[in-house]
Amino acid sequence: MLVIDEEKERKEIIKDYRQLLRLARPRMQKGDDKRIRHAFEMAVEAHKTQRRKSGEPYIHHPIAVAKIVAEDIGLDTNAVICALLHDTVEDTDVTLDQIKREFGETIAKIIDGLTKIDQISHQTLSSQAENYRKILITLSDDIRVILIKIADRLHNMRTLEGVSKKNQIKTASETLYLYAPLAHRLGLYNIKGELEDLAMKYLEPEKYKEIAKLLEDTKRERNKYINDFIKPIADELEKAGLKARVFGRPKSISSIWNKMKKKGVDFDDVYDKFAIRIVLDVPNKEDELSESFKAFSIVTNKYTANDKRFRNNISKPKSNGYESLHTTVMGPKGRWVEIQIRTERMDEVAEKGLAAHFNYKEGKTTVVNTNVYEEATEKWLLQVRELIKNSNENPLDFVNDFKLELYHKEIYVFTPKGEMRLLPIGATALDFAYDIHTNVGNTTIGAKVNNKLVPISYVLNNGDQVEIITSKKTIANEDWLKFVGTSKAKNKIKDALKEEKRRIAEDGKEILYRKLKKQKINQTDENIQALVQFYKVHSPLDLYYLVGTDDKFLNNISDVPNNGGVLEVAKPKSVRKEKLQRAEVDEYKEQQDKAKNLELVIYDNDNQRIPFEYANCCNPIPGDDVSGFLTIDGVIKVHRTSCNNLINLASRHANRIVNTRWKVKEAPFLTKINVTGLDNMGVIAKLTRVISQNMKLNMKSIFLESKDGVFEGYIEVFVRNNDQLKKLLENINNLKGLISAKRELD
């Protein structure tokens, strides 16, 4: 029986609360300490009987979220109060009316938004994509709802050890899919990095541990290099009279892993495992640009800069308010080093994102009011609301489009009058037209970029000046969707297409009714529905549209059987369909028979063995960390836990994740190994000797291609488990002349 020391727990709660007060104090106004105390006491009382899966009192969670809100995001007292109370309405007897009476309309509204998100997240009947869409609708009301929810998610990710593997995958996938991109868009780069690292910890645990250990093992050497690099810079800054903090910051584990995958290199070959940051103390905002460039000059006088890796985000801040000079220089031992130069004010914005400078309308915060950033935030929220309001598309398509825009890098383009517009990299002239106005976009026929005529599909570059050419005779068409990258343009084009389809459908409806009248067929809903089914269209609107686009479509309407004016839809037997169905059944039985001989066991909730297939996208083998996913066809697909497809599927349909485990007995599995080496005589003989003779493994195929004395290719080989694969890779890599042998990544 678990013995609870209530006095010890009470002291720990009080200690936790006092830490929160210290973190919140820099932004507190007169009387705020009493308001926070009141919220704390209400939360303690509401959650007094609740405990987390770890066994600790539940109240530690809202306090932890409030700490993140106060310290990592830097929000005001109202947000701290909302964080303390964010779970009370959803999980306890506290009502929204009670919170409104005690703390006012603003706090009640934010907590209502947070409560709705929790209620949506717990739904299982609707698709996950639809849930995300509902969440985004709620988030768009008040930016603090987004920020507090991100803080809530961060603490849940920090304490994910206590939940089941299935819920770990669900939460981690959802975090990568939605919350990390949101944190990125809001400028919360540290939180975004931690969310991605924590997601990787549960989705790719072995690789996470491997890179974490390598970082720890190389920490001393890395710190020595950083100290040797920054000392001469710090000395020169001091001589120039510039007050500055100069230090190195490690890159996140997930960002290092992404670089390894993207560039196809090992850990040792990733040069930018850290960045050097110079933070200047500049009292006057007017002097920030000039002082930053003084520091830049000192750095580039000492080390040679890579001109292609320079970015000035001070003169042109990002839309989330981020400002900094970025450059990459050649440091000692021939290593490239990334340098970030910014002021203390810019660093505050970079660390805490939009929250660092957002001036709330009730206006009792102590942060500096920088209207340009408030406008940027309001503009973004307005765009989100507009997208949600106007989007009738598939929820999954909507969420994917929205998520892509969260991560985009930006370019600056200009109107003919010199007005600056921010667009994502890859945006076209047509994207620019829709960014100006919907009517401009809908009537675009071409554009002039820097006074040169270009097509609407022209991809814009940073600094381009764009003039849109329009014509009232132009009508948006489906091909335009191929020419745009912004969700705003896509939605506006889809709206225009729907409107055009409705117009054509109205004409088609009149044509259809005339033909029905001529054939003396009643114009009833039943008859229209019979035609819809007979011609295999989705709806009456689609039927009318087909008639409107092809007036000969219903010339053979008399062939449709009717009886006394009532259409009877023919139901001819489809021999081919029956054959297909029999073939699908036979194929499924064959898959079941194969599954019985495979080496993975999948259990449903009743602990019954059920059939499965291995996913072709990641080709799991014994020893890999795997999970199953139930497809709409009722087939279990088994993926490696790190598979990008599984992460996307789990983020949208977490309820269809199925628990798996490997059996002790092992059977051979096919895997692909990518090899690179020097093109010497006998290289194929060496490879096959290691595989066939030394390790007694069977090969399915081998493909090697030589160019300029170096060969590249792959070997498909059957292995029994992950340990055997690791041993094989080790033996191949030990061969003379081999540069690398790696299992093919997802």
Side-chain angles (χ1 to χ4, degrees):
M1 181 178 176
L2 181 65
V3 178
I4 297 173
D5 188 338
E6 293 184 358
E7 180 59 23
K8 182 180 178 182
E9 286 189 345
R10 188 189 70 80
K11 289 180 179 178
E12 288 174 348
I13 292 170
I14 294 299
K15 180 182 177 183
D16 216 9
Y17 167 69
R18 286 173 177 164
Q19 289 175 346
L20 168 62
L21 277 183
R22 284 197 294 273
L23 296 173
R25 187 157 282 117
R27 294 170 182 81
M28 285 167 54
Q29 303 294 321
K30 185 177 180 180
D32 280 355
D33 55 343
K34 293 179 180 178
R35 297 173 67 224
I36 294 175
R37 178 65 183 236
H38 183 30
F40 166 70
E41 290 172 347
M42 179 182 283
V44 169
E45 178 63 25
H47 295 298
K48 65 182 178 182
T49 61
Q50 297 176 331
R51 290 186 175 270
R52 305 200 83 203
K53 290 189 180 294
S54 62
E56 70 175 5
Y58 190 87
I59 187 62
H60 285 294
H61 169 65
I63 294 175
V65 174
K67 284 181 181 178
I68 295 169
V69 164
E71 181 180 25
D72 299 296
I73 304 180
L75 291 178
D76 62 357
T77 295
N78 280 350
V80 170
I81 291 171
C82 291
L84 285 169
L85 299 172
H86 78 274
D87 278 335
T88 53
V89 174
E90 170 69 11
D91 297 334
T92 75
D93 294 332
V94 174
T95 66
L96 203 60
D97 286 340
Q98 185 179 350
I99 288 177
K100 187 175 179 180
R101 286 195 305 271
E102 299 287 338
F103 297 99
E105 179 77 35
T106 299
I107 287 175
K109 184 178 179 181
I110 294 172
I111 291 176
D112 185 35
L114 291 163
T115 302
K116 287 176 181 175
I117 292 173
D118 287 337
Q119 290 170 344
I120 292 166
S121 298
H122 296 156
Q123 291 175 3
T124 57
L125 295 177
S126 60
S127 73
Q128 196 75 347
E130 179 58 33
N131 287 348
Y132 290 157
R133 181 170 174 166
K134 292 175 183 175
I135 287 172
L136 291 170
I137 291 172
T138 302
L139 292 179
S140 69
D141 290 337
D142 188 312
I143 193 172
R144 286 168 291 186
V145 177
I146 309 177
L147 297 168
I148 296 168
K149 186 58 190 174
I150 289 173
D152 177 51
R153 176 51 58 105
L154 177 58
H155 185 249
N156 283 333
M157 288 297 295
R158 287 174 177 174
T159 56
L160 206 56
E161 293 93 343
V163 304
S164 67
K165 178 183 175 182
K166 177 178 177 179
N167 284 333
Q168 286 175 346
I169 293 173
K170 171 192 178 296
T171 305
S173 299
E174 186 179 74
T175 299
L176 269 187
Y177 188 76
L178 187 65
Y179 289 99
L182 276 171
H184 176 89
R185 178 57 183 79
L186 294 169
L188 300 169
Y189 296 117
N190 288 342
I191 290 178
K192 172 245 186 185
E194 186 176 354
L195 287 174
E196 290 178 337
D197 274 5
L198 291 168
M200 182 183 172
K201 180 179 178 181
Y202 294 101
L203 295 173
E204 301 183 76
E206 294 303 320
K207 185 56 66 175
Y208 177 88
K209 291 174 186 175
E210 178 187 330
I211 295 176
K213 186 176 186 305
L214 287 169
L215 284 172
E216 183 61 32
D217 291 345
T218 58
K219 184 177 180 180
R220 178 176 294 182
E221 183 271 334
R222 190 167 59 252
N223 286 343
K224 183 180 185 306
Y225 186 91
I226 290 171
N227 290 334
D228 291 344
F229 181 92
I230 66 177
K231 188 178 186 308
I233 295 177
D235 291 343
E236 290 299 320
L237 289 170
E238 187 176 355
K239 287 179 185 177
L242 294 173
K243 295 180 180 179
R245 294 183 291 125
V246 187
F247 54 93
R249 288 181 63 103
K251 295 290 182 72
S252 67
I253 293 173
S254 57
S255 68
I256 292 172
W257 175 227
N258 287 335
K259 282 185 171 66
M260 290 169 63
K261 289 192 292 185
K262 184 178 179 180
K263 297 180 180 179
V265 298
D266 293 325
F267 176 85
D268 291 336
D269 297 321
V270 178
Y271 68 84
D272 51 347
K273 300 184 185 76
F274 61 88
I276 301 298
R277 184 170 298 172
I278 300 172
V279 182
L280 301 163
D281 183 4
V282 183
N284 298 320
K285 191 173 184 299
E286 295 77 14
D287 300 329
E288 288 183 333
L289 182 61
S290 61
E291 296 292 277
S292 296
F293 269 101
K294 283 181 185 178
F296 173 78
S297 179
I298 288 171
V299 170
T300 52
N301 282 339
K302 181 64 183 175
Y303 300 109
T304 303
N306 183 340
D307 294 336
K308 295 180 180 179
R309 298 293 299 271
F310 172 74
R311 293 200 306 275
N312 178 2
N313 287 122
I314 298 178
S315 299
K316 297 175 181 177
K318 292 185 178 181
S319 58
N320 59 15
Y322 180 83
E323 296 174 274
S324 190
L325 292 181
H326 283 211
T327 188
T328 300
V329 300
M330 179 62 73
K333 302 180 182 178
R335 293 166 64 175
W336 290 109
V337 179
E338 181 185 331
I339 310 286
Q340 301 166 356
I341 302 171
R342 60 182 65 150
T343 65
E344 292 286 359
R345 180 192 64 79
M346 297 173 193
D347 194 55
E348 174 81 359
V349 172
E351 293 291 314
K352 296 182 169 61
L354 285 167
H357 44 56
F358 191 83
N359 180 36
Y360 297 113
K361 297 298 186 290
E362 60 267 27
K364 291 190 178 180
T365 61
T366 57
V367 294
V368 177
N369 175 15
T370 51
N371 289 326
V372 62
Y373 300 129
E374 182 180 350
E375 289 171 7
T377 308
E378 287 293 348
K379 182 180 178 182
W380 179 67
L381 288 174
L382 185 63
Q383 289 175 345
V384 173
R385 294 180 192 118
E386 185 180 354
L387 287 174
I388 293 167
K389 179 182 177 183
N390 295 329
S391 175
N392 296 314
E393 64 180 316
N394 178 284
L396 182 56
D397 292 339
F398 166 77
V399 174
N400 282 336
D401 287 346
F402 179 84
K403 187 169 74 76
L404 284 174
E405 289 210 358
L406 295 177
Y407 265 133
H408 71 233
K409 293 183 178 179
E410 295 160 330
I411 59 172
Y412 298 84
V413 291
F414 299 88
T415 68
K417 293 183 178 180
E419 179 190 349
M420 187 175 71
R421 294 270 175 166
L422 276 174
L423 289 172
I425 286 179
T428 63
L430 190 55
D431 282 305
F432 177 86
Y434 277 104
D435 191 66
I436 297 296
H437 196 277
T438 302
N439 290 338
V440 174
N442 285 339
T443 56
T444 297
I445 59 172
K448 284 184 178 179
V449 176
N450 305 325
N451 293 318
K452 291 183 179 180
L453 194 64
V454 298
I456 61 175
S457 59
Y458 180 84
V459 177
L460 301 174
N461 296 305
N462 210 29
D464 281 345
Q465 189 168 36
V466 187
E467 178 185 351
I468 299 298
I469 303 169
T470 63
S471 170
K472 293 182 179 179
K473 296 179 181 179
T474 301
I475 300 174
N477 63 72
E478 202 155 350
D479 286 340
W480 284 16
L481 292 170
K482 302 173 186 176
F483 305 149
V484 294
T486 61
S487 54
K488 178 180 180 180
K490 285 181 182 178
N491 279 301
K492 294 301 181 183
I493 293 169
K494 288 175 183 177
D495 288 344
L497 292 174
K498 288 174 185 175
E499 186 59 38
E500 179 65 11
K501 183 175 182 179
R502 279 193 289 269
R503 187 189 64 77
I504 294 172
E506 283 298 317
D507 295 338
K509 186 176 181 180
E510 291 184 15
I511 295 170
L512 172 61
Y513 277 17
R514 285 199 300 269
K515 287 184 180 289
L516 290 175
K517 186 176 181 180
K518 187 175 181 180
Q519 297 288 334
K520 297 182 180 180
I521 297 172
N522 294 331
Q523 299 171 10
T524 61
D525 291 342
E526 291 78 7
N527 282 346
I528 298 300
Q529 194 59 44
L531 284 167
V532 166
Q533 293 176 15
F534 183 80
Y535 288 105
K536 296 181 175 62
V537 291
H538 294 296
S539 67
L541 181 68
D542 293 328
L543 178 70
Y544 302 148
Y545 177 75
L546 285 174
V547 177
T549 53
D550 182 6
D551 60 359
K552 297 178 181 179
F553 178 70
L554 288 179
N555 278 354
N556 298 323
I557 192 171
S558 57
D559 295 339
V560 180
N562 68 84
N563 181 16
V566 178
L567 284 166
E568 294 179 354
V569 180
K571 298 180 181 178
K573 291 184 178 180
S574 175
V575 177
R576 183 173 178 274
K577 184 176 181 181
E578 290 174 359
K579 287 181 178 178
L580 282 174
Q581 288 176 336
R582 283 199 299 272
E584 288 170 358
V585 171
D586 292 341
E587 183 183 355
Y588 183 68
K589 286 181 178 178
E590 183 181 346
Q591 290 169 351
Q592 281 186 309
D593 292 337
K594 287 181 180 179
K596 292 177 183 177
N597 298 320
L598 296 177
E599 302 311 306
L600 191 74
V601 180
I602 298 182
Y603 289 90
D604 63 10
N605 293 334
D606 298 322
N607 211 34
Q608 298 295 315
R609 182 169 176 170
I610 50 180
F612 61 89
E613 298 175 4
Y614 289 93
N616 293 327
C617 53
C618 57
N619 295 315
I621 64 173
D624 286 337
D625 198 7
V626 293
S627 290
F629 182 80
L630 180 64
T631 68
I632 57 175
D633 299 322
V635 178
I636 302 294
K637 290 282 188 179
V638 178
H639 297 257
R640 288 160 61 189
T641 307
S642 60
C643 175
N644 290 330
N645 286 340
L646 177 67
I647 292 170
N648 286 332
L649 290 168
S651 68
R652 301 196 297 272
H653 311 288
N655 59 312
R656 284 153 61 185
I657 294 292
V658 181
N659 292 326
T660 63
R661 72 171 175 84
W662 291 105
K663 286 171 61 181
V664 175
K665 182 183 175 184
E666 296 173 347
F669 285 75
L670 184 66
T671 191
K672 182 184 283 188
I673 298 172
N674 292 325
V675 291
T676 306
L678 301 177
D679 188 15
N680 296 325
M681 289 288 292
V683 66
I684 295 179
K686 292 177 184 178
L687 286 169
T688 55
R689 189 180 302 117
V690 167
I691 297 168
S692 302
Q693 295 182 20
N694 297 2
M695 297 198 64
K696 312 296 183 187
L697 299 176
N698 292 323
M699 286 190 300
K700 180 184 177 184
S701 64
I702 181 168
F703 173 80
L704 300 177
E705 189 173 36
S706 177
K707 184 177 181 181
D708 299 329
V710 176
F711 73 83
E712 290 183 328
Y714 64 83
I715 305 166
E716 290 185 312
V717 61
F718 290 94
V719 297
R720 291 185 176 276
N721 54 46
N722 211 18
D723 291 337
Q724 192 175 56
L725 174 61
K726 288 179 181 177
K727 183 65 175 176
L728 174 61
L729 291 173
E730 181 182 338
N731 288 342
I732 294 176
N733 278 309
N734 286 335
L735 289 174
K736 186 177 180 180
L738 253 291
I739 296 173
S740 74
K742 302 175 184 177
R743 179 181 179 182
E744 185 174 88
L745 298 172
D746 297 345

